[in-house]
Amino acid sequence: METIETNRLYFNENTPLGFVFEQNKDDFMVEEIPLGKFPDRGNFFIMKVRKINLSTWQLLEHISKKLKIDQNLIGYAGLKDKNATTTQYISIPLNKSDSFKLIQNKNVKVLETFKSDKKIKIGDLKGNSFKIVLKNILNEELPLFYQALSTIQKHGIPNYFGYQRFGIENDFKKAKDTAYGEIETGDKKLDKFLTTAYQSYLFNAWLIKRVELAKEQGDKKLLPLKGDIYNLNDKTIITGLMPGRKIIRAKDEARVIEEKYDDMFIHEKGSRRNAWIRPQNIKNKFFKEKNEMVLEFDLPKSSYATVFIEALGNRNLGY
């Protein structure tokens, strides 16, 4: 197998920009974009919940305890960052909704409620809206910010897994051994996390190579290769392999590169992931007296705001 490169590569040719980015409740805000309007009828109670400095897992545990409800009965569309102010939609059975206000405290607030005929499931969202504060921006670098934002708006960005995907340890070997079934942590959730982290390492390494090839040709987006596999709903989006069982693989010259980052020994089911995303509704406001910029933008589901920030700054954050 090809050497696993973890340094995410971007199309911004500027030297890395020297801003400060911190994930905290004031500087990192996320709001989930639902699939559509809720019908306001049915056997499920939907809560639009704002949480501060809590992971989604901690929120679910809190709701479970306060409403005396099994966590398996609580529906959510996706995981939201802990070190942030985030808003997401949560479903519970309607017959458990009478005391929903009990979940509220200084860090949890129910903003709106609805009814639905369906439980919210993983993936039931269009994407997320972000509002992020960048600090200590140098005045002389401001033109480079606007140039980079223009490039992102015009061309989009590589859809890497962000550094959060790999955990604090960022242990590639442990993730690989778990995917092979050679070690078990005793925690099923952690085993699943490590297995998918290994798949994510391989996807990122493949995408880094494809970005590298495009940059060599002087392009600002991925170049199609014969045998590429595209998103079923958008034939302009190349997909990359999350190696595993029962998944279609690329062919011809695209497969020559893909197979260097494939692993046929992974027990987990494989999938394909969009290699490219186009951020929407990008807005920015610079506060000269503070040397701060407030960025707002929307991303599709299964993408990372930190990757947007990395593409803007042309440097990796975290691991």
Side-chain angles (χ1 to χ4, degrees):
M1 184 185 297
E2 195 85 353
T3 301
I4 300 302
E5 174 61 64
T6 59
N7 234 5
R8 293 172 293 280
L9 187 65
Y10 296 97
F11 287 93
N12 183 358
E13 297 296 343
N14 297 321
T15 55
L17 301 180
F19 58 81
V20 172
F21 166 66
E22 297 178 348
Q23 283 193 241
N24 60 55
K25 67 181 181 66
D26 299 314
D27 298 330
F28 193 81
M29 286 161 274
V30 189
E31 181 165 341
E32 196 169 81
I33 305 171
L35 288 174
K37 291 184 178 181
F38 297 103
D40 215 19
R41 64 178 184 276
N43 294 321
F44 292 92
F45 188 73
I46 310 298
M47 300 180 290
K48 183 179 180 180
V49 181
R50 183 177 66 211
K51 63 180 183 63
I52 299 173
N53 291 338
L54 287 174
S55 69
T56 299
W57 295 120
Q58 289 172 321
L59 175 64
L60 298 179
E61 184 178 1
H62 172 70
I63 293 172
S64 174
K65 287 181 179 179
K66 288 295 183 180
L67 301 186
K68 296 180 173 57
I69 179 176
D70 192 295
Q71 280 197 42
N72 292 328
L73 297 177
I74 305 173
Y76 63 99
L79 301 177
K80 296 291 179 286
D81 297 84
K82 177 179 180 179
N83 299 318
T85 296
T86 67
T87 301
Q88 66 185 118
Y89 293 84
I90 301 291
S91 70
I92 60 174
L94 187 60
N95 61 9
K96 296 287 187 178
S97 65
D98 288 348
S99 53
F100 78 90
K101 291 183 179 180
L102 290 176
I103 74 170
Q104 298 192 127
N105 57 34
K106 66 178 182 178
N107 293 321
V108 177
K109 184 174 179 60
V110 178
L111 303 177
E112 293 183 79
T113 63
F114 314 87
K115 292 178 184 176
S116 178
D117 52 3
K118 295 179 181 178
K119 176 184 178 180
I120 295 177
K121 296 180 180 178
I122 294 291
D124 284 351
L125 74 161
K126 285 184 180 178
N128 294 285
S129 294
F130 296 89
K131 185 176 181 180
I132 288 173
V133 180
L134 303 179
K135 299 180 178 180
N136 295 357
I137 294 176
L138 301 175
N139 284 326
E140 59 267 30
E141 290 187 344
L142 201 54
L144 301 179
F145 268 88
Y146 294 131
Q147 181 182 345
L149 283 171
S150 177
T151 298
I152 290 171
Q153 186 152 359
K154 182 177 180 180
H155 298 289
I157 58 175
N159 191 27
Y160 292 115
F161 286 97
Y163 64 86
Q164 312 95 306
R165 185 66 193 83
F166 306 103
I168 296 174
E169 293 181 348
N170 196 30
D171 191 335
F172 172 77
K173 185 178 185 306
K174 185 176 181 179
K176 180 179 180 180
D177 290 344
T178 303
Y180 278 25
E182 294 180 358
I183 64 171
E184 292 183 2
T185 65
D187 182 329
K188 289 185 178 180
K189 284 184 180 178
L190 180 57
D191 287 344
K192 172 74 172 178
F193 174 85
L194 289 169
T195 297
T196 53
Y198 178 55
Q199 294 172 307
S200 304
Y201 277 113
L202 297 176
F203 173 89
N204 271 14
W206 166 84
L207 185 50
I208 290 166
K209 183 63 177 179
R210 290 294 296 261
V211 170
E212 187 179 271
L213 291 175
K215 284 171 70 75
E216 288 174 359
Q217 299 297 317
D219 216 316
K220 295 291 186 182
K221 56 185 178 181
L222 297 189
L223 298 176
L225 298 176
K226 184 180 179 181
D228 269 327
I229 297 175
Y230 293 84
N231 182 295
L232 291 175
N233 299 314
D234 187 339
K235 299 301 183 181
T236 68
I237 299 178
I238 298 167
T239 65
L241 179 68
M242 297 282 286
R245 301 178 294 105
K246 298 181 179 179
I247 185 63
I248 188 171
R249 286 166 163 85
K251 298 178 180 178
D252 302 321
E253 60 179 336
R255 179 60 185 165
V256 172
I257 296 175
E258 180 180 275
E259 67 181 348
K260 295 176 181 179
Y261 307 99
D262 195 358
D263 192 329
M264 298 291 204
F265 295 98
I266 297 176
H267 298 168
E268 189 72 24
K269 187 177 178 181
S271 62
R272 300 201 69 88
R273 172 181 170 87
N274 288 348
W276 199 256
I277 54 172
R278 297 185 71 90
Q280 301 293 318
N281 302 318
I282 301 174
K283 301 175 185 176
N284 71 87
K285 188 170 184 179
F286 180 63
F287 295 89
K288 186 175 181 180
E289 65 279 7
K290 295 181 179 180
N291 286 332
E292 294 181 1
M293 179 180 286
V294 177
L295 278 176
E296 296 182 38
F297 53 92
D298 297 346
L299 294 180
K301 63 182 179 181
S302 301
S303 53
Y304 291 76
T306 52
V307 170
F308 180 102
I309 300 303
E310 288 184 343
L312 174 62
N314 195 27
R315 60 185 171 95
N316 281 195
L317 304 170
Y319 296 106

